[in-house]
Amino acid sequence: MSPESQAPEALPSRRRRAPRGGRHRGDESFLLPPNSPTLVLAVPGPARHAGTAIAAELARLVEIEHTGQPARYGHLEGDEASLTAVLAGLRGADGELAAVVVPLSTGPDPRMDAALHAAVTAAPVHAVAAEPLGPHPLIAEALHDRLADAGLARADRIRLMTMVTAASGVIVATPGDATAVRQAEVTGVLLASRLAAPVFTASLNDESSVKAATEQLRAAGAASIALAPHLIGPEPEAALAAPAAASVGAAASTPLGAHPALARLAALRYVEALSLALAD
């Protein structure tokens, strides 16, 4: 069935295409019907170079690799490139869904969720909010890649090469409180399975939490520890990762940034939210 023959309200169909090489090949790719609601990425914090660059690259990956439709992004704070302005600039027929807003968040965040839902509610067009990107196995995949990029983990468990810099224990450090830490524990378990090494979670907002995770890893026999920031990059807590690692003598990988797995997750969350909206 061609895209032109599909009704605008039809659900997206999986796109079959010839495999191609490269890191950005997506497994969750969909051919969206014409006039599908716009996918809008909600970026935490105000517009700034790092957050804007990450959001722009993820939007590019989403539209080129996964949906075939333009994707946009808007910030949840400030007037510059704001989510409110992006939603106000969209056009949609009365009652028709014009946008699905996907938060750039690795897990539930009460402050971000409140700002996102306020923007969606105030929008002059019909819009809905999708779920956060995580927890999801793809987050663990992205954390693994960032640890490998920093030389703190093997790229996979099959290659038996020696890496003297590889950590023997990992702290998944997440923004937020004890609830956020419990959410991140799902990712920690998945990451531990990938690394075949102990992984504990901690809050970047609580220095004692990071120290407690370090003590647990030491007790488990970890001689060298790595801190993996469980965040994308625009979050205010991104600045806390390096000092937190230094305070316990750990190395640190970089935030997830514009990892292709996050683009796949954004497309997946879009389709999930769109399916629910069309079913109502």
Side-chain angles (χ1 to χ4, degrees), residues 134-220:
H136 192 278
L138 285 172
I139 300 288
E141 176 185 319
L143 287 172
H144 187 174
D145 281 350
R146 292 301 180 235
L147 286 166
D149 290 343
L152 299 172
R154 290 182 175 88
D156 56 54
R157 295 173 58 183
I158 298 175
R159 290 180 236 169
L160 299 180
M161 59 185 177
T162 299
M163 293 183 65
V164 296
T165 57
S168 51
V170 175
I171 300 170
V172 172
T174 191
D177 56 13
T179 300
V181 172
R182 286 194 295 272
Q183 291 277 349
E185 285 175 353
V186 177
T187 300
V189 170
L190 295 168
L191 181 61
S193 177
R194 297 178 66 93
L195 299 176
V199 175
F200 287 92
T201 56
S203 170
L204 277 171
N205 300 92
D206 182 359
E207 186 176 339
S208 65
S209 177
V210 175
K211 290 182 178 179
T214 302
E215 292 170 0
Q216 289 176 301
L217 285 169
R218 299 287 187 205

Side-chain angles (χ1 to χ4, degrees), residues 5-252:
S5 64
Q6 299 181 40
E9 66 273 16
L11 291 177
S13 60
R14 284 298 295 270
R15 170 167 44 192
R16 297 186 179 275
R17 57 184 179 184
R20 55 189 179 86
R23 182 170 182 149
H24 296 296
R25 180 188 171 197
D27 295 328
E28 294 294 341
S29 297
F30 300 88
L31 180 62
L32 295 180
N35 302 317
S36 294
T38 301
L39 188 157
V40 182
L41 300 175
V43 188
R48 52 186 172 223
H49 177 70
T52 300
I54 291 170
E57 176 61 10
L58 284 173
R60 187 187 72 83
L61 291 175
V62 167
E63 64 185 37
I64 291 177
E65 299 288 340
H66 301 288
T67 66
Q69 300 290 330
R72 302 188 183 185
Y73 60 90
H75 292 265
L76 287 167
E77 295 180 22
D79 296 328
E80 182 182 355
S82 70
L83 176 61
T84 299
V86 171
L87 294 177
L90 298 179
R91 297 289 179 268
D94 290 343
E96 289 188 0
L97 185 62
V100 175
V101 185
V102 181
L104 284 186
S105 173
T106 53
D109 181 327
R111 292 175 302 173
M112 185 174 179
D113 293 345
L116 171 58
H117 285 281
V120 167
T121 301
V125 294
H126 183 198
V128 296
E131 293 295 317
L133 302 185
H136 192 278
L138 285 172
I139 300 288
E141 176 185 319
L143 287 172
H144 187 174
D145 281 350
R146 292 301 180 235
L147 286 166
D149 290 343
L152 299 172
R154 290 182 175 88
D156 56 54
R157 295 173 58 183
I158 298 175
R159 290 180 236 169
L160 299 180
M161 59 185 177
T162 299
M163 293 183 65
V164 296
T165 57
S168 51
V170 175
I171 300 170
V172 172
T174 191
D177 56 13
T179 300
V181 172
R182 286 194 295 272
Q183 291 277 349
E185 285 175 353
V186 177
T187 300
V189 170
L190 295 168
L191 181 61
S193 177
R194 297 178 66 93
L195 299 176
V199 175
F200 287 92
T201 56
S203 170
L204 277 171
N205 300 92
D206 182 359
E207 186 176 339
S208 65
S209 177
V210 175
K211 290 182 178 179
T214 302
E215 292 170 0
Q216 289 176 301
L217 285 169
R218 299 287 187 205
S224 58
I225 296 174
L227 184 144
H230 185 249
L231 44 75
I232 297 169
E235 303 92 330
E237 290 86 355
L240 301 176
S247 71
V248 295

